[in-house]
Amino acid sequence: MSEAITGQNHSVRPPGDVNPRTEAALDFPDRPYGTLSAEDYAILGFMAGLEVHQQLHTRSKLFCRCPAGRYVDGCDAEVLRHMRPTLSELGEYDGTALMEFKTKKEIVYLLERGSVCTYEIDDTPPFHMDHEAVSIALEIAMLLDLNLVSELHVMRKQYLDGSIPTGFQRTAMVGLTGEIPFLVPELGIDRSLRIRQLSLEEDSCREVRDVGHRITFRTDRLGMPLTETVTEPDLLNPLELQAGARLVARIAQATGKVRRGPGAARQDVNVSVAGGRRVEIKGVPYHRGLPRLVHIEAFRQLNLLRVKAELENRAIGADVVALPDGGIPWEVSALVADVTGELSGSGHRPLREAIERGETAVAVRLGGFAGLLSHRTQPGRTFAGELAERVRVIACPEHRPFLAHSDQDPSPLTDREWRDVRRSVAASASDSVVVAWMPRDDAATAAREILLRAGEALVGIPAETRQALPDGTTGFERILPGPDRMYPDTDTPPLPVSDRAVAAVRTTLPDPPWTREQRYRELGLEPGAARRLASAPWAGVFDAVAPTVPEVAQRVASALEMRVPFLGRRGHATMTAERIAPLVRTLEAGTIRPEATERALDDLLRHPDREPDALLERYRVREDAAERCERRVAEVVAQTSALNGTDSEGVLRWAMGRVMPAFLGQLDPRYVRERLTTALSASSQRGFA
Amino acid sequence: MTVPTADPYRGYRGPTRAVMERFGITVWCEVRAETTRGTFEGLLLPRSETSDELHLVLKLGVGYNVGIRHDTVRSLEKIGYREAHYQIPEKAFPRNASLPAVKLLGTGGTIASRLDYRTGAVIPAFSPGELYGSVPELADICNLETEKLFGVFSENMGPEQYLILAEKCGEAIREGYDGIVIGHGTDTMHHTAAVLSYMVQRPPVPIIMVGSQRSSDRPSSDAAQNLINATWAAAHGPIAEVLVCMFGPTSDRYNLLHRGTRVRKMHSSYRSTFRTLGDIPVAMVELGKVTPLKEDVEPRRTDRDVLVQAAFDDRVSIVYYYPGMKADVVDALVERGYRGLVIAGTGLGHVNRVIYPALERARDAGVQVYMTLQTLWGFVQMHVYETGREILELGVVPLANMLPEAAYVKLGWALGLHPADADTVRRLMTTPLAGDMTEREPHDGYLVFQGGVPEIQEFLREVWR
């Protein structure tokens, strides 16, 4: 399943999962995010890649004609389903191989009739693929410099967590192997980022609730078209990762045809460090938290490698945690004991109440692990947390807490209770013991999972998919599937992508962000503003009005950035090149001064029913401006007597506020300020009237 | 499933085959393709015969399949070779002397499958060992033997298959099995269920038909639950009739057992498509429990008596009446030698005046004509309107609330059994057999509610669909 990356990585075989450097940096001390340099991450062997999921802005969903983007809170009906794994030719026949099944989840889907049809609940075969989505995916693939396939083959990628009612996601490969410029001067990055692939696929359900053995999903988002862009693991430190994510996002946004806003784009991150293997962190919604998240994950992995090294020092072998297949753990193994009786009067309330509910308390011996359960893995978390996470996800206990261990200090159990528990599993001083309490069947599952995870500690870093938590740590989500569980979707015929279709999409291709950015920088925008404009939805309008004077370009870009999002839907609706062009022309001609840009733009967008010329009139430079200004200055200065006690700077500010609005666009604010300052000092010299 | 590896160009023809030959490439080669759209590397898979002849299919290392158009190919370089071996390692189905013996007869359709991820092939699992691997719960229910009779899509099932299937049921009963399960495609499951109800009468053990609405390779498939419940009903269930066992609601809750003559597939794809019409289902099956819903059911017996009458005359047709239908449609059937017609008439069993003469000519030619209902629910009642009375006089025989499909197979069977005895055929047709006509329709025999209506919306919010 895992292959080392050799020099010649044929893409005929699955890509490698193991970090190319095999020596872990075990001596590197744990340090918080923000204190490491790029060289430090290089020492750690840090390596990361991205999988960016981007929703496309289409009218309908990908494989049915339901509306895309309709999010609802209500529910008309519910459907209950279960998932069964399909065995491969390598699969096990043993009935208990479906052990996971016995704790299988009940999966409830909430349906709302406006957002789903019988396709989503897997009661109708797919309709033909949405052509709008295919075009947009091709466009993004071209911007990413990918080799386009001639025929889209829809595949089934199995997921058993219930997030898709069919149990698989329909996904098709659109393009492969490209390279894009990766230029981030502030981080010293000037190279390229390799893109492995882009696929077109359907989005999954939104999780509503996950308690015990029942998980509930909302189906509104299900079936919306997504592109998944996968990069090579070329990102060598957390800030690079963030920059890479932003770059990929900007490229999709450059098309103007992707959804924006919360949830429209999510990234999965693959991280590994030297001596380890990749772990996937799923569903990170914001770029902001990425660097800290992957930093913490890198050190979690390093700490697991330290645990492994310590276990090797102690000569602990896999047999120490081995459990026979089948049967109830505490009946077939001396490593596990039913300690319900010993703990029934416990002072630890969660435990006592569980036993009162008729649940089982189980003890598990981890031979030779003494002290390792409290080994730090993440900020505020220990190795015991890794065990608890597995139990939580796979055994599905409803109540928490459900676990205690012998390394805990202070401990929820008394010394005497620990003595009894240790005796029940014949644990010596060099052994750790874990106690878990939950319904009997779940307790059996928990015992198995604890021993399984302890066994994986001997290997180092288990292949996992983890979820990002708000504090920057990660939690176990599921075992990372081995080779992709993918096979052709026989419900859909292959879709040809002809040269003519590709050419048609090419004509609509926007400039890639880096080309755009450079153009804006040449126009006079500073790098940050140039980058933001390149990925803004109004970039097209900006290009259409084509300001040529640097100061005007800067002001227009800034004004758009300030006003359009603020005006929301209204702003977008009126913001056409036609509407804005008159303003740009007058600014360039000098008939309106640049300071008025933002206000004037705002007027144009807020009052679409009024003629631009009429709205712009008040900002136009007029011959008598200076004269009128003098009169106004005099008026206002006369009123400053009411400001007795205010400092002179405050008075000036107040006065500017009374004078400038009438002359915005007509007079240089510095000139007005200078006139006011003169008039105010003259007046104060005279004394107040 | 075995793959004949003899043909190195499986499915490739015309221009794609020419490209392969030009570069010395066959199926299962690992190739590097240089094309006008860039370089692609992957395993060359066989091409489906229903796909065009213009594209090569590669399976990439990441698992995806892609198509490469032949005229974009500049070169194909062979960098390896990986032949497909569809070998399913087999383990024996565990035997338990205390459990009943069930015979599973396969007609086609995939009640269970396995996946070859290397190539993407879906391989039917059918032998007991293979089924055990897919649905291990079966080993807790019975000792299973399987026999594959044919491998056809159910729309291709026909009289020839019905005869074999009926004989095999008889054989399994004589051999002492405690129950029979028949794996069948869902499209015509109700036709087969009906004809078996006639061909295999008064079985001492359950004969349960089962299939899956969603392909069994997918994690969400109804296949496993259907198979588990069907096997349970066959092994332990108290009802010895020909029954269809499929989902109740579309949720994974319970299965229903439907009498073979009253069941029909009512939706093209819903899991909950099979419904008993004009009555309630015979029983519910769920988690190792059969709960009869009706009292008048045939109980399981210890004897091995069964009446197997496997015969079928396929010169029978269903005529689906429509307004404006002309006489020549019926005449044509009669002229071509059809011996029996089942009309699916409108309303209470009506057709237009225009075809009366044709019905007369049919009667004179000795063709038996019967009336059933397009509405599917309700009774043929030809005395109520003049039209009905007129049609009766033309010798058309009403069939109460028999379903059109059941009437069709019954007529074919009766004519096959008694080719020269029209009166016996008529008697058989008009005598209720295996519940194909009922004396009464209870108030809950017809429940087709409309969505959108407030009380229904409220109900839907309270139950799992």
Side-chain angles (χ1 to χ4, degrees):
Chain A
M1 251 183 279
S2 305
E3 288 177 7
I5 299 177
T6 59
Q8 187 193 39
N9 187 14
H10 271 156
S11 41
V12 185
R13 303 296 161 92
D17 282 336
V18 170
N19 190 293
R21 279 178 36 203
T22 49
E23 283 293 310
L26 295 176
D27 296 330
F28 199 105
D30 279 14
R31 275 159 52 191
Y33 173 67
T35 62
L36 263 59
S37 67
E39 289 71 36
D40 289 327
Y41 288 106
I43 293 170
L44 286 173
F46 181 101
M47 218 164 105
L50 278 165
E51 296 172 21
V52 179
H53 298 94
Q54 170 69 60
Q55 282 180 342
L56 305 182
H57 203 314
T58 58
R59 196 185 62 85
S60 16
K61 293 187 173 180
L62 188 56
F63 287 104
C64 73
R65 305 288 84 92
C66 288
R70 182 186 159 97
Y71 289 100
V72 295
D73 287 327
C75 151
D76 297 327
E78 293 184 17
V79 172
L80 169 75
R81 292 273 164 79
H82 304 104
M83 296 288 164
R84 284 182 77 99
T86 316
L87 300 175
S88 75
E89 78 287 5
L90 305 168
E92 295 174 79
Y93 283 85
D94 194 332
T96 57
L98 294 181
M99 170 265 293
E100 60 195 324
F101 223 169
K102 291 178 184 160
T103 54
K104 69 188 172 193
K105 293 274 206 199
E106 284 190 332
I107 306 163
V108 176
Y109 296 102
L110 305 179
L111 313 177
E112 183 273 331
R113 66 203 317 275
S115 55
V116 292
C117 65
T118 49
Y119 167 72
E120 273 76 25
I121 53 175
D122 187 39
D123 271 319
T124 285
F127 298 87
H128 67 78
M129 235 193 309
D130 182 65
H131 287 272
E132 202 187 346
V134 174
S135 284
I136 302 173
L138 285 171
E139 205 174 313
I140 300 175
M142 285 188 229
L143 285 174
L144 292 168
D145 177 49
L146 299 175
N147 302 335
L148 302 178
V149 305
S150 304
E151 208 179 41
L152 289 179
H153 284 245
V154 179
M155 308 294 286
R156 295 180 182 174
K157 191 170 181 183
Q158 288 205 347
Y159 284 103
L160 267 72
D161 61 353
S163 61
I164 306 202
T166 45
F168 58 79
Q169 179 191 40
R170 289 190 165 88
T171 169
M173 180 69 72
V174 176
L176 295 156
T177 40
E179 225 172 273
I180 51 174
F182 189 25
L183 175 65
V184 191
E186 56 265 38
L187 293 178
I189 302 173
D190 183 359
R191 51 180 208 266
S192 55
L193 178 60
R194 294 179 299 161
I195 307 292
R196 182 178 291 175
Q197 67 193 53
L198 181 139
S199 52
L200 176 61
E201 53 194 39
E202 42 183 6
D203 208 344
S204 60
C205 294
R206 300 191 282 149
E207 187 184 306
V208 171
R209 203 179 305 123
D210 185 3
V211 175
H213 290 273
R214 181 175 301 172
I215 185 166
T216 306
F217 288 99
R218 215 176 277 290
T219 52
D220 47 15
R221 190 181 74 180
L222 175 65
M224 284 176 66
L226 286 180
T227 47
E228 182 194 57
T229 304
V230 180
T231 72
E232 294 292 347
D234 289 349
L235 301 159
L236 305 174
N237 61 60
L239 287 176
E240 274 195 11
L241 180 75
Q242 185 184 50
R246 287 183 170 147
L247 175 60
V248 173
R250 287 208 316 273
I251 293 168
Q253 288 162 5
T255 61
K257 295 168 185 163
V258 301
R259 287 189 186 266
R260 301 179 73 138
R266 282 109 59 192
Q267 25 272 322
D268 302 339
V269 191
N270 290 296
V271 184
S272 74
V273 293
R277 51 147 305 122
R278 80 172 170 103
V279 168
E280 185 183 31
I281 306 175
K282 241 184 144 47
V284 185
Y286 299 114
H287 298 149
R288 203 178 329 124
L290 270 174
R292 185 150 184 275
L293 188 74
V294 297
H295 169 93
I296 290 176
E297 173 59 18
F299 278 97
R300 185 190 72 93
Q301 295 185 20
L302 187 58
N303 279 308
L304 290 179
L305 291 169
R306 289 181 179 132
V307 169
K308 170 188 175 187
E310 180 57 25
L311 287 168
E312 274 169 3
N313 278 348
R314 299 183 187 184
I316 309 297
D319 50 298
V320 156
V321 290
L323 204 59
D325 285 341
I328 311 288
W330 49 86
E331 288 172 8
V332 301
S333 169
L335 296 176
V336 184
D338 181 337
V339 293
T340 315
E342 285 87 330
L343 296 174
S344 59
S346 176
H348 185 47
R349 200 165 76 165
L351 170 54
R352 189 179 65 248
E353 286 178 349
I355 294 178
E356 282 165 10
R357 284 194 296 268
E359 294 172 11
T360 302
V362 65
V364 181
R365 166 170 35 114
L366 300 178
F369 272 69
L372 286 175
L373 294 185
S374 56
H375 193 294
R376 181 196 144 88
T377 50
Q378 305 182 74
R381 319 265 222 92
T382 61
F383 181 71
E386 298 273 318
L387 305 177
E389 289 276 285
R390 287 294 179 95
V391 171
R392 175 182 66 80
V393 172
I394 299 175
C396 310
E398 229 175 281
H399 302 268
R400 316 215 186 152
F402 50 78
L403 184 149
H405 64 89
S406 55
D407 286 355
Q408 261 173 312
D409 186 21
S411 177
L413 304 187
T414 66
D415 286 344
R416 219 209 46 197
E417 283 167 341
W418 277 117
R419 260 203 318 275
D420 288 344
V421 163
R422 293 186 88 93
R423 195 174 334 123
S424 72
V425 288
S428 73
S430 58
D431 302 335
S432 280
V433 183
V434 179
V435 174
W437 50 90
M438 58 196 73
R440 191 170 180 274
D441 283 351
D442 296 341
T445 306
R448 285 194 179 277
E449 287 307 315
I450 289 168
L451 286 164
L452 265 169
R453 180 62 186 87
E456 285 169 359
L458 298 165
V459 172
I461 297 166
E464 290 178 343
T465 298
R466 300 181 66 80
Q467 52 177 311
L469 300 171
D471 63 356
T473 62
T474 58
F476 172 73
E477 192 169 298
R478 63 173 165 272
I479 308 287
L480 194 68
D484 269 346
R485 307 312 254 178
M486 263 206 284
Y487 59 106
D489 180 40
T490 44
D491 291 341
T492 55
L495 182 69
V497 178
S498 65
D499 284 344
R500 197 176 55 226
V502 169
V505 172
R506 206 178 285 286
T507 60
T508 69
L509 217 55
D511 284 336
W514 43 88
T515 311
R516 259 206 159 120
E517 259 176 64
Q518 184 173 10
R519 192 154 37 84
Y520 297 149
R521 278 201 302 274
E522 284 163 8
L523 254 187
L525 267 58
E526 56 91 18
R531 183 176 311 146
R532 288 192 304 275
L533 179 59
S535 58
W538 50 84
V541 169
F542 181 92
D543 291 345
V545 299
T548 50
V549 176
E551 194 185 356
V552 173
Q554 286 160 21
R555 292 274 186 174
V556 170
S558 168
L560 285 168
E561 207 177 308
M562 290 293 120
R563 301 319 298 163
V564 175
F566 182 74
L567 290 172
R569 242 199 334 264
R570 203 174 10 146
H572 282 276
T574 52
M575 192 214 24
T576 61
E578 262 170 355
R579 186 92 187 140
I580 297 173
L583 171 59
V584 178
R585 301 285 83 83
T586 49
L587 287 169
E588 287 182 328
T591 41
I592 292 185
R593 293 191 49 86
E595 304 85 33
T597 309
E598 199 177 310
R599 273 290 188 70
L601 179 72
D602 198 59
D603 282 353
L604 285 174
L605 297 182
R606 277 182 194 274
H607 306 287
D609 45 313
R610 309 222 350 237
E611 284 300 310
D613 280 340
L615 289 169
L616 294 177
E617 192 48 45
R618 60 176 284 194
Y619 301 105
R620 281 190 207 284
V621 172
R622 297 216 292 272
E623 275 173 10
D624 60 346
E627 204 188 299
R628 285 185 299 116
C629 180
E630 283 308 312
R631 280 204 298 276
R632 183 67 184 144
V633 165
E635 268 171 34
V636 167
V637 167
Q639 294 165 13
T640 57
S641 55
L643 295 179
N644 224 344
T646 314
D647 70 324
S648 57
E649 206 30 60
V651 170
L652 181 58
R653 268 202 308 274
W654 178 88
M656 275 293 277
R658 314 291 286 180
V659 176
M660 196 60 220
F663 299 97
L664 187 66
Q666 301 172 36
L667 291 174
D668 190 336
R670 286 170 300 187
Y671 169 80
V672 173
R673 189 183 169 90
E674 191 251 312
R675 295 309 307 138
L676 265 176
T677 310
T678 311
L680 280 171
S681 69
S683 145
S684 70
Q685 277 165 13
R686 282 196 305 272
F688 293 128
Chain B
M1 172 179 162
T2 51
V3 177
T5 52
D7 179 8
Y9 299 101
R10 260 180 80 66
Y12 291 105
R13 50 214 194 271
T16 43
R17 180 166 173 149
V19 167
M20 288 167 70
E21 284 172 342
R22 193 159 109 230
F23 293 103
I25 300 292
T26 61
V27 169
W28 309 124
C29 282
E30 293 174 336
V31 298
R32 178 179 299 119
E34 300 290 346
T35 76
T36 56
R37 293 195 186 176
T39 308
F40 296 90
E41 285 185 4
L43 178 69
L44 189 64
L45 295 182
R47 180 77 168 163
S48 158
E49 263 127 40
T50 52
S51 294
D52 70 33
E53 55 181 23
L54 304 173
H55 297 86
L56 298 163
V57 184
L58 293 184
K59 181 167 215 46
L60 306 174
V62 287
Y64 283 89
N65 287 1
V66 299
I68 311 288
R69 215 185 130 94
H70 70 95
D71 54 3
T72 63
V73 173
R74 293 198 179 116
S75 70
L76 289 176
E77 182 196 337
K78 175 173 170 177
I79 54 182
Y81 185 79
R82 269 195 295 154
E83 176 103 39
H85 294 288
Y86 295 113
Q87 216 138 341
I88 307 175
E90 274 222 35
K91 253 198 195 176
F93 192 106
R95 304 266 146 211
N96 183 335
S98 66
L99 290 178
V102 168
K103 185 76 177 266
L104 171 60
L105 299 170
T107 63
T110 332
I111 191 62
S113 46
R114 314 176 61 68
L115 283 165
D116 178 0
Y117 289 109
R118 288 173 308 126
T119 56
V122 175
I123 309 161
F126 187 71
S127 73
E130 290 164 358
L131 281 175
Y132 173 57
S134 272
V135 190
E137 291 93 329
L138 297 177
D140 299 326
I141 297 174
C142 66
N143 295 307
L144 191 66
E145 284 298 333
T146 62
E147 187 177 342
K148 182 171 169 182
L149 300 180
F150 4 88
V152 293
F153 290 120
S154 70
E155 57 270 23
N156 292 322
M157 287 281 288
E160 200 183 300
Q161 285 78 25
Y162 299 153
L163 299 176
I164 297 172
L165 194 47
E167 296 290 1
K168 285 292 177 179
C169 284
E171 197 179 281
I173 291 169
R174 282 193 303 277
E175 286 172 3
Y177 283 96
D178 300 300
I180 300 170
V181 175
I182 302 173
H184 197 286
T186 56
D187 275 16
T188 67
M189 196 185 298
H190 52 286
H191 300 76
T192 305
V195 81
L196 277 184
S197 302
Y198 302 127
M199 291 185 178
V200 183
Q201 288 179 41
R202 304 208 67 239
V205 297
I207 300 177
I208 311 289
M209 298 202 63
V210 73
S212 66
Q213 281 292 110
R214 313 311 299 140
S215 62
S216 51
D217 57 276
R218 62 185 79 191
S220 59
S221 175
D222 51 333
Q225 180 179 316
N226 286 341
L227 186 56
I228 290 168
N229 283 328
T231 310
W232 183 272
H236 301 273
I239 305 169
E241 298 186 25
V242 175
L243 303 168
V244 165
C245 177
M246 294 289 282
F247 262 37
T250 182
S251 291
D252 290 2
R253 293 177 54 205
Y254 52 85
N255 275 45
L256 291 172
L257 294 177
H258 304 277
R259 199 158 265 165
T261 56
R262 295 225 68 82
V263 68
R264 196 171 187 277
K265 181 169 179 172
M266 297 304 289
H267 187 283
S268 64
S269 51
Y270 249 108
R271 287 160 167 75
S272 52
T273 178
F274 281 92
R275 288 291 178 255
T276 293
L277 274 61
D279 201 347
I280 60 176
V282 162
M284 283 171 64
V285 196
E286 174 177 27
L287 293 176
K289 202 159 69 113
V290 176
T291 309
L293 297 174
K294 286 169 70 64
E295 283 168 356
D296 57 327
V297 295
E298 295 295 332
R300 182 190 280 276
R301 307 192 312 269
T302 49
D303 63 72
R304 292 279 131 186
D305 299 331
V306 62
L307 182 58
V308 176
Q309 295 174 300
F312 203 93
D313 184 338
D314 63 2
R315 294 170 298 173
V316 180
S317 179
I318 300 179
V319 177
Y320 194 95
Y321 171 75
Y322 46 86
M325 187 170 176
K326 299 208 281 285
D328 55 10
V329 175
V330 175
D331 284 333
L333 288 166
V334 171
E335 278 155 30
R336 299 286 293 195
Y338 277 74
R339 306 304 307 151
L341 299 180
V342 171
I343 302 180
T346 53
L348 292 164
H350 299 146
V351 297
N352 63 5
R353 296 214 136 80
V354 169
I355 66 170
Y356 286 4
L359 294 176
E360 233 177 333
R361 288 191 280 275
R363 181 192 58 197
D364 295 342
V367 176
Q368 301 206 4
V369 184
Y370 293 88
M371 181 63 77
T372 62
L373 302 173
Q374 276 178 31
T375 58
L376 304 176
W377 281 274
F379 288 84
V380 176
Q381 237 302 18
M382 291 158 78
H383 293 283
V384 175
Y385 290 105
E386 194 177 305
T387 308
R389 293 192 287 273
E390 287 166 356
I391 298 169
L392 278 175
E393 249 153 68
L394 296 169
V396 174
V397 178
L399 289 181
N401 62 353
M402 197 185 301
L403 293 173
E405 292 85 3
Y408 157 74
V409 297
K410 191 177 192 184
L411 186 54
W413 166 72
L415 283 172
L417 214 51
H418 304 281
D421 188 352
D423 289 335
T424 307
V425 170
R426 196 164 294 118
R427 194 173 37 81
L428 271 178
M429 286 302 290
T430 51
T431 307
L433 258 183
D436 60 1
M437 289 183 288
T438 65
E439 286 183 332
R440 345 168 14 245
E441 180 183 346
H443 75 89
D444 50 7
Y446 168 73
L447 290 179
V448 181
F449 292 118
Q450 291 284 190
V453 171
E455 64 206 12
I456 305 304
Q457 295 302 100
E458 204 183 297
F459 168 67
L460 289 176
R461 275 189 274 270
E462 287 166 22
V463 296
W464 279 325
R465 291 214 56 206

